[in-house]
Amino acid sequence: MKNKINLVLFLFGVLPFQSAFTQQGFSEPYDFGAQAAVFTNCILQGDTVAITGAILPQGSNQWSAMLARIDTNGLLIDLHYYPDTMGDQFSQLPNYGIIQTSDKGYLMCGSLVYASDGAVLKTDSVGNLEFYKVFAGEKSFKCKSGIEIENGYLVIGSHQRSNYFLDVVLLKLDKDGNKLWERNIGDWDLDEGGGGIFALDSNLFVVIGENGIGNASNLNNTFIRSKAWFVDSLGNVLDEWESEKNVESGILGLKILPDKSWLYCSRTYEVLSPDEWGGVTKLVRRDSNMNLMWERLMPHATTINNLLYDITPTADGNWVAIGHWIPYYEPFNPDTIAWMGGVIHKFSSDGDSIWTVLDSVFWDQEYGSYNRLGGVVALPSGSVIAVGSVMEMGTVFKSWAWMVKADKDGCIDTLCITTHIPVENLSEKGGSVRVYPNPGDQEVQFAFESLIGEEVTVSVVNTLGRTVFKAQLDRTAGYIDWNTTNVATGVYVFTARSQDGRVIEHGQVIVQH
């Protein structure tokens, strides 16, 4: 079936801590009064979202593990952070694991930067720390995620072996976090990484991830593929499955459906140049025998940076995937890499696109911003909440924890652009810029009556983030004309900036032929 995007929403310059909680959706950055903070993953408990991440408290030079609980309107319930007792820096990447345990507590996974050791934390139901266990691998051990079993926990991660290749590591922990055994999973002469572990029954588990060669001297000899290992309760590998080379780059966000089919995120790979790899994210569904049922490529730039991390079912029988995209990119043209957007993509059980939201919180004209989403939950109302992090760029460099809520139609805040919802006519708004006609057919004019004599630049981007028009204001005329005959019907975003880079105004322009 045809894969079509019905909605792409860009939000530029959203202010921190805006009061949007009475609206259907919101896009909210948090720092909790700290120097920096990041969210990486979340789970839903009724009206509460429990979130794992890391925080750099004010006055400290040590990143600590973090557990935050926030209600579904974005209001903080409580916040806890757990510094390593040896002074090391705690680290988590997007979609690192958090689970609620049978005693209503939380189990979280991560790694320590200086020691290159894995870390597993367990709290009680109100966030009091019960154990903080550190595990050393041969080199660079990272704990990724875990599950609870009857007499303890199974935790997966990866470490570097003595031959410098990566292997998946499976740990068995007791209820107090003590290691009972450890198993290396993977081939000695290939790189392997683990993305998650799932119970198929009481004595059969599947570890998902990827394997390949990532350090070949010749880029053309480098490859990657999706990989799954089926193991018993003692960590013995009973069976394996792998995809073709470079067709898939690993399994993320796996959901095993009632018919035993698999739905997950992955990515294709290709060589863009002798020095550069590229990739396109995609959604994949396979039957219980791992035969391909369908796959859907995402419409964004081909770069190494694009990833989808997590999938969740929605209340209306569809699905949502989240991650981050660079929407438009040309190799060796730095002007096309201005920002990375957090993405929420809703799709049907057949993989057909319903809507896509691509959101950025902060914005810098020269440096853009980096926005990542690593975990998602769905509410009974049909809304979805995703968490991640934002790197504010430009004159200020700071990491913010980030939560986004979109309703069932993909609306965030008061902005929702679809083919069925009219957009406000900006020519009727007050402000420094008058856009007319809007919608426009052959031509759109940006008028700056109050700014005659000033240097003003107007740029217009399409829904893939590509600049389709850029011009400087004629100081004497006070307006800029945009010939729209050669652009497609759709919604565009304009930004008007002063000579010093200050945003004078921005908004939407509709072209309708």
Side-chain angles (χ1 to χ4, degrees):
M1 296 187 180
K2 187 177 181 181
N3 188 17
K4 181 179 69 175
I5 288 223
N6 294 326
L7 163 72
V8 179
L9 174 61
F10 287 84
L11 297 179
F12 294 103
V14 178
L15 296 177
F17 305 113
Q18 60 184 8
S19 297
F21 303 127
T22 60
Q23 301 168 356
Q24 289 182 310
F26 55 83
S27 179
E28 190 76 6
Y30 303 82
D31 69 358
F32 307 114
Q35 299 176 68
V38 297
F39 291 153
T40 55
N41 206 350
C42 60
I43 55 176
L44 182 66
Q45 303 168 286
D47 293 328
T48 300
V49 184
I51 308 168
T52 185
I55 189 169
L56 182 61
Q58 202 63 244
S60 173
N61 60 2
Q62 182 183 1
W63 281 89
S64 298
M66 176 175 65
L67 172 66
R69 295 195 299 172
I70 298 178
D71 71 19
T72 54
N73 287 319
L75 296 174
L76 180 66
I77 298 171
D78 55 31
L79 173 71
H80 306 269
Y81 58 92
Y82 315 97
D84 175 63
T85 57
M86 301 301 292
D88 213 327
Q89 308 282 346
F90 182 82
S91 174
Q92 280 186 331
L93 294 176
N95 205 235
Y96 269 37
I98 176 174
I99 62 169
Q100 186 176 31
T101 54
S102 56
D103 60 0
K104 307 301 182 183
Y106 303 95
L107 187 81
M108 296 169 286
C109 300
S111 60
L112 299 177
V113 175
Y114 298 147
S116 295
D117 292 337
V120 179
L121 295 76
K122 169 70 168 61
T123 76
D124 65 15
S125 60
V126 293
N128 297 312
L129 186 65
E130 294 185 343
F131 65 74
Y132 188 133
K133 298 292 184 176
V134 177
F135 303 101
E138 292 185 31
K139 294 181 180 180
S140 301
F141 189 24
K142 294 179 174 63
C143 290
K144 174 68 188 295
S145 62
I147 59 172
E148 185 176 16
I149 57 178
E150 183 178 1
N151 57 352
Y153 307 98
L154 291 176
V155 174
I156 66 104
S158 63
H159 70 165
Q160 191 177 60
R161 304 296 301 276
S162 58
N163 63 350
Y164 300 101
F165 284 95
L166 297 175
D167 260 359
V168 175
V169 180
L170 178 62
L171 302 177
K172 169 69 180 294
L173 310 181
D174 67 18
K175 289 291 186 178
D176 296 319
N178 301 305
K179 184 172 71 174
L180 300 178
W181 50 254
E182 174 182 325
R183 302 284 187 268
N184 284 306
I185 298 175
D187 297 320
W188 175 254
D189 56 352
L190 291 177
D191 287 310
E192 276 101 7
I197 181 169
F198 299 83
L200 300 178
D201 60 40
S202 60
N203 193 45
L204 182 62
F205 305 87
V206 59
V207 175
I208 59 170
E210 72 282 334
N211 81 343
I213 296 178
N215 59 351
S217 57
N218 185 336
L219 187 60
N220 290 305
N221 294 332
T222 303
F223 71 89
I224 192 169
R225 58 194 171 197
S226 294
K227 184 81 176 186
W229 298 268
F230 298 88
V231 302
D232 64 18
S233 58
L234 297 176
N236 301 305
V237 177
L238 306 178
D239 200 2
E240 301 179 3
W241 171 86
E242 60 191 24
S243 71
E244 296 181 17
K245 295 178 180 179
N246 298 335
V247 173
E248 294 183 16
S249 68
I251 300 173
L252 290 171
L254 174 66
K255 294 296 180 290
I256 300 177
L257 281 60
D259 63 358
K260 307 302 182 183
S261 64
W262 288 22
L263 179 63
Y264 59 89
C265 312
S266 193
R267 182 169 54 176
T268 63
Y269 267 67
E270 59 183 284
V271 177
L272 298 176
S273 73
D275 304 309
E276 186 175 18
W277 276 82
V280 177
T281 60
K282 64 181 179 181
L283 300 166
V284 181
R285 187 169 179 182
R286 294 185 178 274
D287 66 19
S288 58
N289 295 315
M290 303 306 292
N291 299 308
L292 182 66
M293 299 174 66
W294 53 255
E295 60 180 14
R296 299 288 186 267
L297 295 175
M298 299 292 101
H300 57 58
T302 303
T303 81
I304 201 71
N305 297 294
N306 300 317
L307 277 173
L308 293 175
Y309 288 105
D310 202 5
I311 297 176
T312 194
T314 57
D316 56 5
N318 294 300
W319 297 85
V320 162
I322 58 91
H324 53 72
W325 292 351
I326 292 175
Y328 177 68
Y329 169 64
E330 290 178 351
F332 311 111
N333 181 0
D335 292 338
T336 62
I337 313 176
W339 68 296
M340 177 186 288
V343 66
I344 306 175
H345 177 69
K346 187 172 183 178
F347 60 99
S348 72
S349 58
D350 293 320
D352 296 316
S353 178
I354 299 173
W355 51 254
T356 300
V357 172
L358 188 61
D359 193 21
S360 64
V361 178
F362 303 105
W363 178 253
D364 181 271
Q365 178 70 9
E366 181 177 359
Y367 298 100
S369 63
Y370 290 87
N371 309 264
R372 297 174 173 87
L373 294 173
V376 62
V377 295
L379 307 182
S381 64
S383 296
V384 295
I385 290 178
V387 301
S389 62
V390 175
M391 174 63 77
E392 187 178 2
M393 309 292 286
T395 57
V396 176
F397 289 85
K398 179 174 179 176
S399 294
W400 298 72
W402 183 29
M403 176 184 280
V404 183
K405 182 179 181 181
D407 72 11
K408 62 183 179 61
D409 298 313
C411 299
I412 296 177
D413 294 317
T414 56
L415 299 179
C416 186
I417 307 171
T418 73
T419 56
H420 307 293
I421 300 177
V423 178
E424 181 183 9
N425 189 337
L426 295 176
S427 65
E428 299 175 355
K429 290 181 62 178
S432 303
V433 183
R434 182 175 181 266
V435 184
Y436 183 83
N438 191 13
D441 179 12
Q442 304 297 311
E443 187 177 81
V444 171
Q445 185 179 92
F446 302 93
F448 303 80
E449 289 90 346
S450 63
L451 296 173
I452 293 177
E454 296 189 27
E455 291 189 9
V456 177
T457 299
V458 170
S459 59
V460 180
V461 299
N462 63 15
T463 54
L464 293 179
R466 181 176 184 177
T467 299
V468 297
F469 176 74
K470 189 172 184 178
Q472 192 169 19
L473 173 67
D474 184 326
R475 291 189 179 191
T476 58
Y479 63 86
I480 295 174
D481 288 329
W482 175 30
N483 184 338
T484 58
T485 57
N486 294 321
V487 299
T489 294
V491 178
Y492 297 81
V493 176
F494 80 88
T495 304
R497 292 185 178 271
S498 62
Q499 184 181 14
D500 61 4
R502 176 177 53 87
V503 176
I504 297 172
E505 195 164 328
H506 61 80
Q508 292 106 23
V509 184
I510 298 176
V511 175
Q512 186 172 342
H513 297 307

